[in-house]
Amino acid sequence: MEQAGRSEARSVALAALVNACLHNHSVQKATLAAGGLAFALATLSLEGKDRVLHVPPLVAARSAGLLARLSPLPEALEAMARPGVVDRIIQATVRSSTLGGDLYTNATRAKRVDDAADDLAAAAETEAAATSAANAAERENLVRVLGSILRSKPPVHTAACDDARRLGSPAPSSNVPGVTTTNDGKDKIVTTARQLKLAEALISFLPPAREDGTEGVTTTSVSLRPKWLAPPAVTGNVCVCLLHLLNGEGSGHIATQIVDAGGIPRLISLFANSGGEGGALSARTNAAICLAKLARDPMHKQMIADLRGMEMLVQVGAGLPV
């Protein structure tokens, strides 16, 4: 009971802090100075039994939300992009992939209306929907933060770190309260192993393309509406992250991981089923650019063409680097 009370207090406090930080740089700076970034990172970094016992889904969601609220601050974004820190954010994002891709249908499913107020089945379904909603919010915020970090590449600290290493001095550490970074010269913004895990996780966040019976994904089924949809805020930032991981290359380990994880049909499906205005249009554009980058590899280009992906890209116009 005492543990539940502490968790509820943390959840309420985090909600108030996240709301207060919205479009308010003064509050964002004060939160950063008070160790808010360090607290959110520590919360999201817990794994296994510690995570289950001490971090309810809503607390995790609001901790990720706090990271997202602080990310517009250059000093916060710089701290999050540092070696050791970004790895913790990636680890939390990869962990989210173990929950499955479709958190959104469960989160938005209409709750049952029962005559009996103490219907245990209804209560269980309501709790499951709340958990899915919290997990979905955590994922959305983590992907948003990663998108901001990767957009900021090359990170602000890189030149200073390289200069320090050439002189044989330790790399500069973060000035953000409570946030420590590694000084290992082998560290990069994302290590190759983590890049591969992250790429696979990101692809799992995109809805799978529809299949045509026993034939699998076909030129017809790939354009059909997927069985579940992710919010444009998720799909758009997923594509932004994939673009930066690919780094202009259509081949190599990252591209192979994306393809092996089913990235081509998912990206084509996203492209075919997104549009309109705002985030959905941005997600569609970024999906097209991801496909165009993958198409620089002849084998990947043929896989895209086999699902009419190249035809779709050509129809978009000449503005994409196909």
Side-chain angles (χ1 to χ4, degrees), residues 151-201:
R151 282 190 195 96
S152 72
K153 288 183 67 180
V156 178
H157 72 277
T158 298
C161 287
D162 289 345
D163 288 343
R165 287 165 188 153
R166 278 196 294 270
L167 296 172
S169 304
S173 61
S174 170
N175 292 322
V176 175
V179 177
T180 58
T181 61
T182 59
N183 293 329
D184 189 342
K186 295 181 290 184
D187 279 333
K188 298 180 181 179
I189 186 168
V190 185
T191 62
T192 301
R194 289 200 185 276
Q195 282 182 329
L196 294 174
K197 290 181 180 179
L198 177 60
E200 184 177 4

Side-chain angles (χ1 to χ4, degrees), residues 42-283:
T43 300
L44 293 168
S45 297
L46 290 177
E47 294 286 340
K49 185 177 180 180
D50 287 337
R51 168 88 179 203
V52 174
L53 290 177
H54 303 297
V55 187
L58 196 54
V59 170
R62 289 171 174 171
S63 295
L66 185 58
L67 290 184
R69 285 284 194 266
L70 295 176
S71 62
L73 289 178
E75 56 268 44
L77 191 60
E78 180 186 353
M80 286 189 276
R82 288 178 179 274
V85 180
V86 70
D87 282 348
R88 294 161 73 182
I89 298 172
I90 290 171
Q91 184 177 356
T93 306
V94 171
R95 177 196 168 278
S96 178
S97 68
T98 65
L99 301 174
D102 183 16
L103 298 176
Y104 313 101
T105 300
N106 293 334
T108 58
R109 182 181 297 154
K111 296 181 177 62
R112 289 174 51 188
V113 179
D114 291 277
D115 294 333
D118 59 347
D119 188 324
L120 294 180
E125 185 169 338
T126 299
E127 183 177 357
T131 298
S132 289
N135 289 333
E138 179 188 1
R139 176 178 296 176
E140 181 173 339
N141 283 308
L142 287 171
V143 172
R144 179 182 290 117
V145 170
L146 276 178
S148 296
I149 291 171
L150 293 175
R151 282 190 195 96
S152 72
K153 288 183 67 180
V156 178
H157 72 277
T158 298
C161 287
D162 289 345
D163 288 343
R165 287 165 188 153
R166 278 196 294 270
L167 296 172
S169 304
S173 61
S174 170
N175 292 322
V176 175
V179 177
T180 58
T181 61
T182 59
N183 293 329
D184 189 342
K186 295 181 290 184
D187 279 333
K188 298 180 181 179
I189 186 168
V190 185
T191 62
T192 301
R194 289 200 185 276
Q195 282 182 329
L196 294 174
K197 290 181 180 179
L198 177 60
E200 184 177 4
L202 291 170
I203 290 299
S204 76
F205 299 160
L206 299 178
R210 291 290 289 268
E211 297 185 358
D212 188 1
T214 58
E215 297 183 20
V217 181
T218 65
T219 56
T220 302
S221 69
V222 75
S223 297
L224 298 177
R225 180 184 174 91
K227 291 184 178 180
W228 57 269
L229 297 173
V234 172
T235 56
N237 280 303
V238 162
C239 290
V240 166
C241 293
L242 291 174
L243 285 172
H244 284 273
L245 288 174
L246 284 168
N247 196 26
E249 298 181 2
S251 57
H253 295 303
I254 298 298
T256 299
Q257 184 80 339
I258 290 172
V259 172
D260 288 348
I264 286 177
R266 290 182 189 234
L267 286 166
I268 294 175
S269 176
L270 174 63
F271 174 79
N273 289 281
S274 301
E277 300 178 352
L281 180 59
S282 176

Side-chain angles (χ1 to χ4, degrees), residues 7-20 39 62 66:
S7 295
E8 178 65 21
R10 273 189 301 162
S11 180
V12 171
L14 279 166
L17 198 54
V18 169
N19 289 333
F39 172 81
R62 289 171 174 171
L66 185 58

